């Protein structure tokens, strides 16, 4: 079946301003630094104060996370950059706290008489997110801040990084004290390891060859893995088809999380098939409501795995999962192939997406499909970030519409943005919800 062709405007998210600016506040630590600088009477004394401050930042890391008197539910979160004599301005890009329609609102302030550039947000104490920083030593004017944003780098004072799509510059990750726990993320000693291998699969549906990451749990791994019929005596495993495998296995290393979930008995042994998204133009062309891509997943990828491994063909034990446009694709795959995918795990779904021949309406195109079609035998997990304006409201509306039709629907509104540091935690929780015995 030929892939549906998309038109201009149908495959890109609408650009809309934040409903309200992010609230800023004052940092107690920077207020103390300002007082110490004012009290210093000589250049040497001021240098000593500044060096002590930056030494403290190198030790404790950034951003600074401080309590707010009388406000236990929030924290003052201060992002920092150490400038030099050439620094003209510094742009802070925190995932979904940044407003692309008002980049100037995210410019850092310089503490007078110092090399300290800073911006402090008042954030709820369960926030988790990622960010990058773009220092300007050239002199961009306000109309060129988008170009400055393209030069952003990770925070040199923050050791925790997160990869970005297509192997761009990484971001820096942060989380506040009450952010949901991530007990399965870190690699553990003594935990049995699954096996990750990369394969190339020729696809008639897509008219091209596709690279696929395959994770096989420890219980089914053996010297004969990958040979048809070699493991037929072993129990069939549940199956996860995870979109954007180039991120999840190629950069993030989701196999550690899978190993831990299985070792703890939180999910049963699970085989994962994760296709490479190739590049951004290919991803935009193939994802969304594309019957050809669903044919690739349901009629080519799953049978390919079944010919080589003892994997279930029970849709109730099969999950399709994706994020952003991949989340919309997972919803479409569950809708159009419920006989193969009985569970949908969709995170921050791009419900703005519509085919080129569809006019925009009050109800998103994918939501209308579920409302107008016959009910499917599906369980759905729909997660979205509280700072994903537009997507947040559409996801909540979809959950309500599905429940009204009798679907088994769960999901969280996590305190974050369109962000792999949030999706990683929610993915593990979603697998436990959908597959945990």
């Amino acid at each position: 079946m030929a892939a549906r062709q998309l038109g201009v405007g149908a495959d890109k998210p609408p650009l809309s301003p934040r409903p309200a600016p992010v609230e800023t506040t004052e940092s107690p630590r920077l207020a103390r630094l300002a007082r110490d600088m004012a009290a210093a009477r000589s250049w040497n004394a001021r240098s000593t104060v500044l060096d002590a401050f930056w030494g403290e930042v190198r030790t404790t890391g950034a951003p600074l996370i401080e309590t707010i008197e009388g406000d236990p539910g929030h924290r003052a979160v201060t992002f920092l950059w150490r400038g030099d004599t050439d620094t003209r301005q510094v742009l802070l890009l925190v995932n979904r706290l940044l407003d692309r329609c008002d980049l100037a609102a995210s410019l850092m302030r310089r503490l007078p008489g110092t090399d300290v550039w800073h911006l402090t947000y008042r954030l709820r104490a369960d926030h988790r997110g990622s960010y990058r920083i773009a220092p300007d030593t050239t002199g961009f004017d306000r109309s060129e801040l988008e170009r400055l944003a393209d030069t952003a780098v990770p925070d040199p004072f923050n050791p925790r990084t997160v990869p970005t799509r297509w192997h761009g510059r990484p971001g820096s990750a942060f989380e506040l004290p009450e952010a949901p726990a991530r007990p399965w993320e870190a690699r553990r000693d003594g935990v049995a390891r699954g096996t990750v291998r990369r394969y190339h699969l020729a696809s008639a549906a897509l008219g091209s060859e596709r690279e696929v990451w395959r994770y096989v749990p420890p219980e089914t791994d053996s010297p004969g893995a990958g040979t048809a019929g070699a493991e037929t005596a072993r129990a069939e495993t549940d199956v996860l088809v995870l979109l954007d495998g180039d991120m999840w296995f190629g950069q993030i290393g989701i196999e550690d999380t899978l190993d831990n979930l299985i070792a703890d008995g939180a999910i049963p042994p699970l085989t994962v098939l994760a296709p490479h998204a190739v590049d951004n133009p290919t991803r935009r062309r193939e994802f969304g409501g594309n019957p050809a891509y669903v044919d690739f997943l349901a009629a080519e990828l799953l049978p390919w795995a079944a010919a080589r491994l003892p994997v279930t063909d029970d849709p109730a034990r099969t999950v399709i999962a994706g994020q952003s446009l991949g989340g919309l694709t997972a919803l479409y795959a569950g809708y159009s192939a419920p006989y193969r995918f009985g569970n949908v795990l969709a995170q921050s779904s791009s419900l703005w997406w519509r085919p080129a021949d569809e006019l925009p309406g009050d109800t998103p195109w994918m939501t209308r499909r579920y409302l107008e079609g016959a009910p499917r035998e599906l369980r759905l997990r729909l997660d979205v970030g509280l700072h994903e304006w537009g997507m947040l409201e559409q996801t909540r509306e979809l959950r309500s519409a599905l429940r009204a039709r009798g679907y088994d629907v769960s999901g969280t509104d996590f305190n974050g943005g369109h962000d792999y540091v949030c999706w990683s935690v929610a993915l593990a929780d979603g697998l436990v919800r959908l597959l945990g015995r």
Side-chain angles (χ1 to χ4, degrees):
M1 187 179 295
R4 183 191 295 272
Q5 296 300 309
L6 306 181
V8 175
D11 63 341
K12 296 181 181 179
L15 183 63
S16 59
R18 279 189 62 91
V22 184
E23 185 177 354
T24 58
T25 188
E26 298 298 321
S27 161
R29 181 64 185 91
L30 289 187
R32 178 159 59 89
L33 174 61
R35 292 193 298 270
D36 292 344
M37 290 294 292
R41 298 300 182 183
S42 67
W43 183 89
N44 284 339
R46 288 191 293 272
S47 293
T48 299
V49 169
L50 268 180
D51 288 344
F53 172 76
W54 286 119
E56 177 185 321
V57 172
R58 279 192 295 272
T59 299
T60 60
L64 305 181
I65 299 172
E66 302 173 277
T67 58
I68 303 173
E69 187 175 356
D71 188 4
H74 293 82
R75 297 292 186 274
V77 183
T78 302
F79 300 88
L80 298 165
W81 183 263
R82 189 170 195 177
D84 55 30
T85 55
D86 293 328
T87 304
R88 314 289 184 85
Q89 57 188 346
V90 182
L91 181 65
L92 174 65
L93 299 91
V94 184
N95 190 304
R96 284 303 194 270
L97 302 188
L98 177 81
D99 187 344
R100 287 282 178 182
C101 295
D102 185 14
L103 292 176
S106 293
L107 286 169
M108 288 180 156
R109 290 72 159 146
R110 181 169 175 258
L111 190 66
T114 75
D115 55 3
V116 179
W117 293 81
H118 63 96
L119 186 57
T120 303
Y121 289 128
R122 175 182 176 267
L123 300 178
R124 213 172 73 182
D126 59 349
H127 191 103
R128 173 179 279 126
S130 64
Y131 65 101
R132 292 187 294 161
I133 303 174
D136 177 13
T137 58
T138 301
F140 291 94
D141 63 35
R142 291 296 177 94
S143 66
E144 298 176 307
L145 291 181
E146 193 68 50
R147 287 174 53 206
L148 177 59
D150 292 338
T151 69
V153 297
D155 184 347
F157 294 108
N158 185 344
R160 187 182 171 204
T161 61
V162 58
T164 57
R165 291 311 308 258
W166 322 122
H167 295 275
R169 295 185 188 94
S172 298
F174 74 103
E175 60 187 18
L176 302 193
E178 296 177 17
R182 39 190 179 94
W184 295 296
E185 188 173 298
R187 189 177 182 90
R188 300 179 192 166
D189 294 333
V191 168
R193 306 290 174 206
T195 302
V196 178
R197 293 191 176 95
R198 294 163 70 172
Y199 298 86
H200 287 85
L201 175 62
S203 170
L206 301 179
S208 64
E209 189 175 70
R210 193 50 45 90
E211 190 172 19
V212 176
W213 276 261
R214 192 187 76 181
Y215 169 90
V216 177
E219 288 81 354
T220 56
D221 190 30
S222 76
T227 303
E231 301 180 30
T232 53
R234 294 178 179 266
E236 291 181 341
T237 68
D238 291 10
V239 179
L240 165 64
V241 174
L242 180 59
L243 305 181
D244 292 308
D246 48 301
M247 276 297 292
W248 287 110
F249 286 101
Q251 295 195 69
I252 291 175
I254 194 64
E255 54 266 37
D256 290 336
T257 296
L258 297 168
D259 291 339
N260 294 333
L261 286 166
I262 294 169
D264 287 353
I267 62 172
L270 180 69
T271 296
V272 183
L273 308 171
H276 197 309
V278 183
D279 54 38
N280 207 34
T282 303
R283 187 176 186 271
R284 285 180 173 176
R285 183 176 64 250
E286 294 183 348
F287 279 24
N290 187 342
Y293 199 77
V294 176
D295 284 349
F296 161 63
L297 299 175
E300 295 178 334
L301 180 61
L302 286 174
W304 172 84
R308 291 158 175 80
L309 290 167
V311 294
T312 185
D313 61 0
D314 182 356
R317 296 172 57 196
T318 305
V319 180
I320 174 74
Q323 297 73 35
S324 191
L325 191 55
L328 187 283
T329 306
L331 284 165
Y332 182 72
Y335 169 82
S336 58
Y339 53 89
R340 287 307 284 120
F341 302 110
N343 299 276
V344 173
L345 205 173
Q347 299 173 305
S348 302
S349 301
S350 299
L351 292 169
W352 49 262
W353 187 94
R354 58 183 170 80
D357 56 359
E358 290 274 342
L359 295 175
D362 294 336
T363 303
W365 179 83
M366 191 71 258
T367 301
R368 294 203 307 272
R369 300 284 76 74
Y370 274 93
L371 291 177
E372 297 169 1
R376 271 70 172 158
E377 291 292 329
L378 291 175
R379 300 176 71 212
L380 301 101
R381 171 83 175 192
L382 308 180
D383 299 316
V384 68
L386 288 173
H387 292 277
E388 298 188 87
W389 62 96
M391 285 183 175
L392 174 63
E393 294 78 13
Q394 290 177 337
T395 300
R396 287 173 169 174
E397 291 166 2
L398 176 58
R399 287 196 203 116
S400 296
L402 291 171
R403 286 176 181 137
R405 296 213 68 190
Y407 282 96
D408 182 343
V409 183
S410 63
T412 59
D413 297 344
F414 54 80
N415 192 2
H418 206 71
D419 205 324
Y420 276 97
V421 299
C422 299
W423 294 335
S424 297
V425 178
L427 179 66
D429 291 342
L431 290 176
V432 174
R433 172 65 172 79
L434 295 172
L435 297 178
R437 300 291 188 256

